Amino acid sequence: MKSITSRFQAIDLVLENDPLLLVCAGGGVFLFLVVIVLLRVIKKSKLKLKDLKAKGYYQETPKDEVRGKKASFKIGVQLKRKKLIFTKYSRTMTLENFWQDKNFLEHIYGQKIVDMKSIKRFLRQPKIIIYFEDFPANYTEEDIKTPERGEFHVGITGTGEEQNQDIRDESVLGVFGQKSSGKSNAINSCITSFYKNSYHTKHFDLILFDFKLNDFIHHKKTIKNCSIFDTSDLEQFKRGVEYLERKLLEWTEYKRSVLEKGVQVQNFLDFDDPTNPKPMHLFIVIDEASQFLSNRSVKAPGSKASQKEKDNYERFLTERRLVGLVDFIMDTQRYMGNFLILGSQSSRAGDYAIRFTNIKSILLSRDTKAQSLNLTGDSNLLLDRSLYKGKFIYVGNGKLTKVMTPFIKTPFKPPGEE
Ligand SMILES: Nc1ncnc2c1ncn2[C@@H]1O[C@H](COP(=O)(O)OP(=O)(O)O)[C@@H](O)[C@H]1O
Ligand SMILES: [Mg+2]
């Protein structure tokens, strides 16, 4: 006890006598901490540089040669927030060099790379900035902004950019994925964002086909021009197909009347003639599409057939009429400013009676290696484990982008499900 007290006293004495020593001690501790932090940083970045070196990206260059002509390239690596920044010391190194080894870089950093940009500044070394995937934890319908005329919001990308679709570019969007992958939610968010634009509210008739309806019935309350058909009910299904047929015919006739006047039209969405008002544009949704666009065939029932067999045949004929209409929409309606969203569990062309390969804009959730290669040209893309509950690969305008669709809180449940 005694000795401890006396030691403290001794320290007190020294400090009292020599304030310089106090500063030195403080500075020493500070320096020590700085060195530890630095060592950690160096250790981390060294490991990464070593990996890059193995790949030939990073080469130590003797200092005296850096300014010489023979100097090989060297890059600096910096991790800032979720961005990885490479500083190039060579003007010949291109962005493509990095893209080619995207898989390798993803492996080193254990994160998905979603974008790379090269930034050149006057009198500074060019930099390559690599963006890692970073989706918001909570992305809902409240985050959807009002889209421009003809557009709807598909989702947000891993770098926080909005991915929209213009219905003047394609006439159909396919949404494919396993059960509970978020297809119906994705379709709902497309509808919700589309109808935020007041021009769309006024000029677009929403025509919905769904098996059992639960996912879409709430639009009836919020969208004025909305017709919903439950395809599990044969009479409703037939009525829906007839309705759609009539609406499409209106457009064919309208187009003829405009052409007869000798008027040139790029797209009827941007066209308005007060002397000859156009019909309502169409926003058509078919969910559970493989249920009624499937590649089955049913024989005509004989005279002794049961009612069930007759109904089954009747349903089959109705399906075939819808198949014809879907093909017609894909071929002709882009120019009319009409649009179709097709949701389905199956992403195999052979499962459909429609001309499936005409679908150029697609939202895809997790799928097999074969389907990934088939649909995206990359056999690994759809193996991504995070592609579920609202995360999809969006194929559009020849580009592949991973997106997250907004979560739609369904405000209305059908009777009996409260
Ligand atoms: N964007 C999203 N964000 C969060 N959860 C989602 C999202 N989309 C879907 N989900 C969840 O996944 C479940 C299934 O979605 P749903 O659209 O019904 O799938 P599918 O139509 O593919 O069967 C929903 O009940 C919801 O909880
Ligand atoms: Mg669904």
Side-chain angles (χ1 to χ4, degrees):
M1 227 17 213
K2 210 176 178 188
S3 70
I4 291 171
T5 326
S6 63
R7 203 181 291 163
F8 274 128
Q9 279 167 347
I11 291 169
D12 264 354
L13 214 73
V14 173
L15 292 182
E16 236 171 58
N17 290 349
D18 197 350
L20 193 68
L21 203 70
L22 175 69
V23 174
C24 282
V29 170
F30 179 71
L31 260 178
F32 180 69
L33 287 176
V34 166
V35 168
I36 285 189
V37 169
L38 266 180
L39 277 176
R40 290 196 135 197
V41 169
I42 288 170
K43 199 179 161 202
K44 258 193 179 174
S45 65
K46 256 200 173 160
L47 194 74
K48 286 164 185 165
L49 289 179
K50 197 180 78 200
D51 289 332
L52 287 172
K53 225 152 94 180
K55 198 71 188 167
Y57 274 144
Y58 178 83
Q59 288 175 24
E60 296 281 4
T61 313
K63 270 203 177 104
D64 53 353
E65 268 190 23
V66 170
R67 283 165 185 275
K69 280 177 193 156
K70 277 193 291 174
S72 52
F73 66 78
K74 185 171 178 179
I75 52 172
V77 185
Q78 235 177 306
L79 195 57
K80 256 194 194 173
R81 296 228 173 142
K82 291 226 163 181
K83 282 184 216 146
L84 182 70
I85 303 175
F86 284 94
T87 311
K88 296 198 295 178
Y89 289 85
S90 158
R91 297 197 174 260
T92 56
M93 182 186 265
T94 62
L95 208 56
E96 283 82 64
N97 293 148
F98 284 97
W99 270 125
Q100 275 162 15
D101 282 318
K102 184 168 166 279
N103 285 351
F104 170 76
L105 290 171
E106 280 179 349
H107 178 69
I108 293 178
Y109 293 97
Q111 275 171 300
K112 281 225 169 314
I113 296 172
V114 289
D115 200 9
M116 298 200 210
K117 282 198 185 87
S118 186
I119 295 185
K120 288 187 188 118
R121 290 228 184 91
F122 185 61
L123 286 184
R124 287 229 203 133
Q125 294 292 357
K127 285 184 174 180
I128 292 175
I129 300 187
I130 298 186
Y131 296 89
F132 290 125
E133 190 173 282
D134 185 19
F135 286 106
N138 193 19
Y139 190 55
T140 70
E141 60 197 303
E142 279 132 39
D143 301 309
I144 306 176
K145 295 192 196 91
T146 304
E148 299 286 313
R149 185 194 296 189
E151 289 189 2
F152 60 85
H153 181 60
V154 175
I156 191 169
T157 71
T159 47
E161 278 148 52
E162 280 182 41
Q163 179 66 59
N164 289 350
Q165 170 141 356
D166 192 323
I167 67 168
R168 283 163 287 212
D169 295 336
E170 292 290 340
S171 54
V172 55
L173 171 74
V175 184
F176 303 117
Q178 296 155 336
K179 201 166 186 283
S180 283
S181 54
K183 298 180 297 293
S184 299
N185 180 79
I187 295 173
N188 266 329
S189 86
C190 293
I191 298 171
T192 307
S193 79
F194 191 75
Y195 278 90
K196 274 189 174 236
N197 180 302
S198 60
Y199 184 87
H200 299 164
T201 315
K202 249 196 223 147
H203 294 274
F204 275 82
D205 199 350
L206 179 64
I207 306 177
L208 276 156
F209 290 88
D210 185 29
F211 200 78
K212 298 258 156 88
L213 290 188
N214 293 358
D215 293 330
F216 299 100
I217 195 87
H218 61 279
H219 291 299
K220 194 101 195 143
K221 281 203 165 179
T222 51
I223 297 170
K224 202 174 88 213
N225 305 298
C226 170
S227 326
I228 301 191
F229 302 96
D230 180 355
T231 55
S232 69
D233 176 324
L234 181 57
E235 285 312 308
Q236 268 195 52
F237 187 21
K238 267 163 56 181
R239 236 182 316 124
V241 172
E242 269 154 29
Y243 183 75
L244 179 59
E245 225 164 35
R246 211 162 53 238
K247 290 286 161 186
L248 289 167
L249 190 65
E250 273 179 21
W251 271 103
T252 308
E253 278 162 6
Y254 181 70
K255 180 184 158 192
R256 189 178 304 135
S257 76
V258 171
L259 289 180
E260 272 166 7
K261 286 187 178 178
V263 183
Q264 286 251 341
V265 181
Q266 270 279 321
N267 192 303
F268 280 97
L269 186 64
D270 305 309
F271 178 77
D272 210 4
D273 178 1
T275 64
N276 183 16
K278 59 183 176 183
M280 289 288 277
H281 284 286
L282 312 175
F283 199 85
I284 309 149
V285 169
I286 303 179
D287 199 7
E288 307 289 352
S290 59
Q291 291 262 8
F292 28 96
L293 302 178
S294 72
N295 218 349
R296 67 180 187 139
S297 68
V298 177
K299 271 197 205 134
S303 52
K304 282 185 207 146
S306 68
Q307 190 57 40
K308 206 178 162 196
E309 282 170 311
K310 282 179 189 158
D311 281 355
N312 188 29
Y313 188 63
E314 189 71 22
R315 170 171 285 280
F316 172 68
L317 291 181
T318 313
E319 286 172 5
R320 282 304 122 126
R321 274 168 81 185
L322 187 57
V323 165
L325 294 181
V326 167
D327 279 338
F328 179 75
I329 290 165
M330 292 200 281
D331 288 343
T332 60
Q333 298 298 301
R334 189 172 67 86
Y335 164 73
M336 308 293 196
N338 298 330
F339 195 76
L340 166 70
I341 299 182
L342 212 64
S344 172
Q345 277 188 35
S346 172
S347 60
R348 286 191 306 257
D351 291 352
Y352 294 91
I354 56 168
R355 289 204 297 282
F356 187 88
T357 44
N358 275 2
I359 304 176
K360 299 286 190 305
S361 307
I362 331 175
L363 275 175
L364 294 161
S365 84
R366 236 169 100 77
D367 215 319
T368 62
K369 211 175 171 100
Q371 272 308 87
S372 180
L373 184 64
N374 201 3
L375 296 162
T376 68
D378 179 334
S379 55
N380 290 320
L381 207 58
L382 298 185
L383 300 184
D384 183 345
R385 282 175 188 281
S386 67
L387 292 177
Y388 77 108
K389 291 216 169 175
K391 294 215 190 74
F392 295 90
I393 298 290
Y394 172 68
V395 184
N397 291 326
K399 262 178 68 187
L400 301 169
T401 323
K402 186 165 169 185
V403 295
M404 179 164 161
T405 60
F407 183 60
I408 306 293
K409 304 166 207 145
T410 313
F412 174 81
K413 286 229 182 288
E417 286 202 16
E418 257 83 21

